[in-house]
């Protein structure tokens, strides 16, 4: 407690040096230390941004924490990339701490995903014997009102997961008081989640906190069920170094909180128990000197090497070359949806740590497109199962699952429904590898049916690739035929990074006229196709290319078939590139093809304005400027807020072979 107090004091006294925003645990020390002391190295923890006392109790040194405070190169958590008290650790002698964001409440879903993963590994016999790990998820009471916290609690009680939700309630959420923002505290709120054990504790009293957290940890370790602990604590420091308490709190409020300071409370208990005051004074003096020395040492530590700024955006890919048999002799042709189904089945057969879940993918239906048909029957409801309508949980839990060694495949039912999951995809998943300095890449495969055809309407027909491609730290795949579907699915699963696989539902069964070429001979089970490699679908005639009478179409998904149909009217004059992966992008193939022809059309199904296609056209223009004989053309859907349901309106809004042919004719005329 003295360490935490003196660290907060020295940070405050050196504000020009401690220039990066930070919070401290002043007032929260008792409950945090009581918790950290009782966790084992095989447990998992998801602290929040005020938990430096908990980290000290887990065994992290003040110096280590100070290195992160000052964003130094030897910061053991993020190498100077993340805020103070945003830890992550894989050290064997301390609890495992995966990356978590500072978006309040957002960490609760990944933390619950850890418990989900632990529960699964225990069920199938892959967990170490005799450990019974628990997950400790810490958060402030103000964040309990987040909707994503509700999704996590619902999942924890539904599946009875071994997780402790420690709520530290100091009655403030920045400048908003509890009375302004809630009608119940976290303990009362938890009563609505049937099966969630709960307890209250005075989090400023160390003895009471130690016994309460001991009981909570023991309950979860033995019963393998969730519990919520509501700890009332004072807030003695500022909200953050940049939001000062005196700006919005009254003198009376501050005085009331000072009365609950855990340090004098513990000091009085020790004196009453017979500890000599001289010994306590010596401890306080020694700690003050120690913290001063360590702070000076941290100030003198080196900053990060600027050349490392791009390190650890991704973990190295597992598949870097095309391998296996793409078109086996006497192989059977399959539609895309079956190629995907067979790929997942083979993955589940080979990897017992793999699971597949999402809305309606379980036993009764097997997905609204039957893309998971029979999988639950073959592998059991514990490996292939339904979830509630909780897109945030479906996606965000994969960060926690991956952290404990489970390999999740999940599905968002329609691309239009991914938006509730973007919070988790952006704040937790995409940043994990980078902000943990490579310690916690998130291996997850997120399947998303996408695209328009046949009057699907405004909430079942959308394209989302441009939205996804603004998120750095994820990969985006978009196959257009059965062979690519299977090879990319396998490679995406094996990739140690988050991959979103966009699967055009209009190509699943090739029901759209002109898409029969999507049906292909199914590759063998050993076939993998590396991400980031495009494919030449149609080559131009060398004679026409030599004459300068050709162009290339750069496209993907349904665009491949619109381009093929249009090219039939220009024999020998059109070369078509199927990107297959939108990030990473096969720029070498794109740029070489454009330079070869001097004319280029970028074709997409998305609304065109400010799209990925327009961004790509700009990159082509810059890289290939000296080789261009015409502007880079783009063609996409009309710039409408949604795809209309009426088929005539839908057809008018979308690209088609006739529109592509008109663009080709205009471009060839240059």
């Amino acid at each position: 407690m003295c360490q935490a107090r003196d660290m907060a004091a020295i940070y405050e006294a050196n504000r020009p040096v401690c220039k990066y925003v930070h919070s401290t645990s002043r007032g929260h020390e008792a409950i945090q230390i009581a918790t950290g002391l009782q966790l084992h190295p095989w447990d998992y923890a998801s602290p929040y941004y005020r938990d430096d006392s908990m980290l000290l109790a887990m065994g992290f040194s003040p110096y280590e924490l100070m290195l992160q405070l000052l964003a130094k190169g030897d910061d053991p958590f993020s190498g100077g990339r993340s805020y103070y008290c945003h830890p992550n650790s894989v050290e064997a002698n301390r609890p495992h701490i995966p990356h978590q964001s500072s978006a309040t409440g957002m960490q609760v879903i990944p933390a619950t995903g850890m418990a989900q993963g632990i529960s699964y590994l225990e069920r199938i016999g892959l967990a170490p014997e005799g450990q019974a790990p628990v997950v400790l998820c810490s958060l402030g009471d103000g964040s309990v009102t987040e909707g994503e916290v509700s999704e996590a609690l619902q999942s924890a009680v539904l599946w009875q997961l071994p997780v402790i939700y420690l709520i530290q309630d100091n009655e403030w959420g920045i400048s908003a008081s509890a009375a302004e923002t809630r009608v119940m505290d976290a303990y009362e709120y938890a009563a609505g989640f049937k099966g969630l054990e709960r307890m209250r504790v005075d989090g400023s009293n160390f003895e009471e906190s130690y016994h309460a957290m001991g009981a909570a940890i023991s309950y979860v370790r033995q019963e393998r069920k969730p519990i919520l602990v509501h700890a009332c604590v004072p807030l003695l420091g500022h909200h953050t170094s940049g939001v000062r308490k005196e700006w919005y709190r009254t003198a009376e409020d501050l005085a009331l909180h000072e009365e609950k300071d855990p340090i004098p409370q513990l000091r009085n208990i020790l004196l009453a128990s017979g500890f000599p005051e001289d010994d306590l004074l010596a401890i306080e003096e020694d700690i003050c000197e120690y913290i001063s020395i360590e702070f000076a040492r941290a100030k003198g530590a080196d900053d990060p090497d600027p050349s490392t700024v791009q390190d650890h955006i991704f973990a190295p890919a597992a598949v870097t070359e095309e391998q296996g048999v793409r078109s086996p002799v006497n192989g059977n042709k399959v539609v895309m949806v079956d190629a995907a189904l067979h790929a997942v089945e083979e993955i589940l057969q080979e990897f017992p740590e793999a699971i597949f879940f999402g809305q309606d993918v379980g036993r009764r239906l097997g997905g609204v497109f039957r893309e998971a048909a029979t999988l639950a029957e073959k592998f059991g409801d514990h490996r292939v199962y339904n979830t509630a309508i909780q897109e945030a949980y479906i996606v965000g839990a994969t960060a926690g699952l991956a952290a404990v060694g489970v390999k999740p495949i999940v599905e968002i039912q329609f691309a239009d429904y991914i938006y509730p999951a973007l919070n988790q995809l952006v704040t937790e998943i995409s940043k994990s590898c980078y902000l943990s300095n490579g310690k916690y890449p998130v291996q997850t495969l997120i399947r998303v049916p996408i695209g328009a055809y046949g009057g699907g309407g405004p909430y079942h027909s959308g394209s989302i690739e441009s939205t996804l491609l603004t998120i750095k730290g994820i990969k985006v795949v978009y196959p257009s035929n059965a062979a690519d579907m299977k090879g990319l699915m396998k490679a995406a699963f094996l990739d140690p990074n988050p991959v979103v696989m966009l699967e055009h539902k209009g190509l699943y069964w090739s029901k759209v006229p002109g898409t029969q070429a999507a049906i292909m001979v199914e590759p063998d089970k050993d076939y993998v196709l590396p991400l980031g490699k495009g494919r030449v679908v149609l080559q131009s005639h060398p004679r026409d290319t030599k004459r300068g009478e050709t162009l290339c179409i750069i496209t993907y998904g349904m665009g491949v078939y619109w381009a093929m149909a249009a090219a039939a009217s220009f024999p020998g004059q059109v070369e078509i590139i199927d990107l297959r992966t939108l990030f990473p992008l096969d720029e070498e193939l794109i740029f070489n093809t454009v330079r070869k022809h001097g004319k280029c059309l970028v074709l997409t199904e998305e609304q065109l304005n400010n799209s990925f296609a327009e961004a790509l056209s700009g990159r082509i223009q810059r890289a290939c400027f000296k080789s261009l004989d015409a502007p880079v053309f783009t063609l996409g859907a009309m710039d409408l807020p949604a795809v209309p349901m009426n088929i005539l309106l839908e057809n008018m809004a979308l690209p088609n072979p006739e529109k592509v042919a008109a663009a080709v004719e205009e471009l060839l005329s240059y």
Side-chain angles (χ1 to χ4, degrees):
M1 283 196 191
C2 289
Q3 285 183 358
R5 178 189 63 189
D6 291 348
M7 287 162 65
I10 205 166
Y11 301 163
E12 181 68 11
N14 291 269
R15 288 178 62 191
V17 176
C18 305
K19 57 189 175 184
Y20 303 111
V21 65
H22 59 272
S23 296
T24 71
S25 57
R26 281 299 285 125
H28 295 228
E29 297 95 338
I31 188 66
Q32 290 184 19
I33 294 170
T35 302
L37 288 175
Q38 299 185 78
L39 293 174
H40 293 315
W42 55 83
D43 291 327
Y44 288 81
S46 180
Y48 91 120
Y49 58 81
R50 200 180 291 283
D51 278 348
D52 54 2
S53 285
M54 187 183 298
L55 297 176
L56 292 171
M58 289 178 184
F60 293 97
S61 70
Y63 179 69
E64 289 175 302
L65 302 187
M66 291 171 183
L67 288 174
Q68 187 174 47
L69 174 90
L70 301 174
K72 296 295 186 176
D74 288 336
D75 157 26
F77 305 127
S78 69
R81 296 176 176 189
S82 198
Y83 305 99
Y84 181 63
C85 208
H86 285 62
N88 55 81
S89 176
V90 292
E91 294 188 30
N93 62 337
R94 296 169 183 171
H96 306 283
I97 306 177
H99 162 267
Q100 63 276 297
S101 75
S102 59
T104 51
M106 298 304 99
Q107 80 275 22
V108 183
I109 284 178
T112 307
M114 296 179 220
Q116 181 185 349
I118 289 167
S119 181
Y120 172 70
L121 293 174
E122 289 176 345
R123 174 166 182 166
I124 65 171
L126 289 182
E129 292 186 11
Q131 291 187 350
V134 302
V135 177
L136 186 283
C137 178
S138 174
L139 64 159
D141 191 84
S143 63
V144 175
T145 52
E146 284 277 6
E148 294 184 19
V149 174
S150 172
E151 292 191 22
L153 298 182
Q154 175 73 21
S155 298
V157 296
L158 177 65
W159 295 321
Q160 291 292 280
L161 302 178
V163 57
I164 303 158
Y165 301 104
L166 171 59
I167 315 299
Q168 300 177 56
D169 186 358
N170 59 33
E171 297 188 339
W172 283 99
I174 310 185
S175 67
S177 68
E180 290 177 89
T181 58
R182 69 189 193 204
V183 295
M184 65 188 85
D185 62 27
Y187 179 85
E188 296 162 330
Y189 182 62
F193 295 89
K194 185 178 180 180
L196 179 60
E197 191 65 38
R198 58 193 179 124
M199 67 167 67
R200 288 191 189 274
V201 60
D202 179 356
S204 69
N205 182 300
F206 179 76
E207 282 189 305
E208 184 178 334
S209 295
Y210 192 86
H211 292 306
M213 290 311 300
I217 292 170
S218 177
Y219 171 79
V220 176
R221 204 177 300 286
Q222 293 176 22
E223 299 296 327
R224 317 310 285 152
K225 295 178 180 179
I227 190 171
L228 183 143
V229 179
H230 177 255
C232 294
V233 291
L235 177 59
L236 302 183
H238 304 288
H239 169 69
T240 66
S241 55
V243 182
R244 318 293 292 173
K245 59 186 178 183
E246 61 270 14
W247 292 351
Y248 57 91
R249 295 176 65 185
T250 65
E252 292 78 12
D253 176 71
L254 292 170
L256 285 172
H257 282 247
E258 287 286 349
E259 292 176 5
K260 284 279 197 176
D261 189 336
I263 297 177
Q265 286 192 64
L266 180 57
R267 198 178 193 281
N268 291 336
I269 291 172
L270 293 172
L271 288 172
S273 301
F275 281 85
E277 185 166 16
D278 287 348
D279 289 356
L280 298 183
L281 289 171
I283 289 172
E284 291 170 348
E285 291 172 3
D286 288 347
I287 291 300
C288 186
E289 181 180 2
Y290 167 63
I291 293 302
S292 181
I293 292 170
E294 294 299 89
F295 185 71
R297 189 158 72 100
K299 282 197 299 182
D302 292 335
D303 285 322
D305 180 350
S307 67
T308 65
V309 69
Q310 289 185 301
D311 291 354
H312 306 300
I313 298 173
F314 292 107
V319 177
T320 57
E321 295 181 359
E322 187 172 4
Q323 296 177 346
V325 182
R326 180 179 175 93
S327 299
V329 178
N330 300 323
N332 296 317
K333 285 191 172 186
V334 293
V335 293
M336 280 183 66
V337 72
D338 285 344
L341 174 65
H342 299 163
V344 174
E345 181 174 349
E346 291 166 5
I347 287 168
L348 294 172
Q349 288 171 344
E350 184 175 355
F351 297 93
E353 65 272 35
I355 59 175
F356 180 32
F357 62 90
Q359 295 171 32
D360 298 302
V361 303
R363 182 182 298 267
R364 295 185 191 88
L365 186 59
V368 295
F369 300 104
R370 305 294 287 159
E371 70 282 4
T374 74
L375 292 180
E377 286 86 348
K378 292 177 179 178
F379 297 100
D381 296 330
H382 64 298
R383 295 191 69 190
V384 180
Y385 52 93
N386 295 328
T387 66
I389 301 174
Q390 295 179 338
E391 287 84 5
Y393 188 88
I394 291 168
V395 170
T398 66
L401 287 160
V404 304
V406 177
K407 300 182 186 299
I409 304 171
V410 299
E411 181 180 302
I412 297 296
Q413 200 166 71
F414 290 92
D416 307 79
Y417 300 164
I418 201 169
Y419 296 100
L422 288 186
N423 221 352
Q424 290 293 318
L425 195 59
V426 173
T427 61
E428 307 297 335
I429 291 174
S430 71
K431 294 176 173 58
S432 184
C433 186
Y434 185 70
L435 292 183
S436 69
N437 238 10
K439 294 191 289 294
Y440 280 101
V442 178
Q443 181 176 6
T444 180
L445 172 54
I446 302 169
R447 299 182 61 186
V448 184
I450 191 171
Y453 83 101
Y459 295 103
H460 297 81
S461 307
S463 292
I464 59 168
E465 53 265 37
S466 291
T467 299
L468 293 174
L469 291 166
T470 64
I471 304 170
K472 313 311 172 190
I474 67 171
K475 300 182 179 183
V476 180
V477 177
Y478 203 142
S480 68
N481 61 68
D484 289 348
M485 171 73 89
K486 188 169 186 181
L488 289 169
M489 182 82 76
K490 292 286 189 74
F493 172 80
L494 294 170
D495 200 299
N497 303 288
V499 182
V500 179
M501 191 154 192
L502 303 176
E503 306 172 18
H504 200 294
K505 59 184 190 289
L507 298 177
Y508 266 155
W509 295 282
S510 291
K511 289 182 176 180
V512 176
T515 62
Q516 289 298 303
I519 302 172
M520 285 190 165
V521 172
E522 182 176 356
D524 281 349
K525 66 186 301 183
D526 59 350
Y527 180 66
V528 290
L529 183 60
L531 309 189
K533 296 294 182 183
R535 170 174 172 253
V536 180
V537 175
L538 178 68
Q539 288 187 326
S540 63
H541 196 288
R543 177 194 63 235
D544 295 313
T545 302
K546 188 174 182 180
R547 292 174 179 169
E549 297 174 350
T550 58
L551 59 75
C552 61
I553 300 177
I554 312 298
T555 190
Y556 56 94
M558 188 64 78
V560 171
Y561 300 97
W562 293 327
M564 289 285 288
S569 300
F570 305 90
Q573 293 185 277
V574 177
E575 189 151 317
I576 300 172
I577 301 298
D578 180 0
L579 294 175
R580 302 198 288 198
T581 302
L582 306 187
F583 191 88
L585 194 60
D586 194 344
E587 290 188 345
E588 182 180 5
L589 176 61
I590 294 167
F591 296 157
N592 286 343
T593 304
V594 173
R595 292 183 183 116
K596 173 181 169 183
H597 298 283
K599 300 184 183 75
C600 173
L601 168 65
V602 181
L603 173 62
T604 180
E605 184 174 325
E606 277 197 297
Q607 294 93 334
L608 198 57
N609 193 34
N610 297 320
S611 65
F612 160 68
E614 286 196 335
L616 177 57
S617 71
R619 288 154 71 183
I620 293 171
Q621 205 110 280
R622 177 169 180 172
C624 306
F625 181 74
K626 293 181 180 179
S627 302
L628 290 174
D629 297 321
V632 177
F633 276 29
T634 54
L635 178 62
M638 291 180 177
D639 293 318
L640 306 174
V643 178
M645 188 167 67
N646 179 275
I647 292 176
L648 295 177
L649 296 176
E650 178 188 76
N651 290 340
M652 180 62 69
L654 295 175
N656 57 39
E658 292 74 25
K659 293 179 183 179
V660 176
V664 169
E665 185 171 14
E666 181 182 357
L667 190 50
L668 286 173
S669 69
Y670 274 81

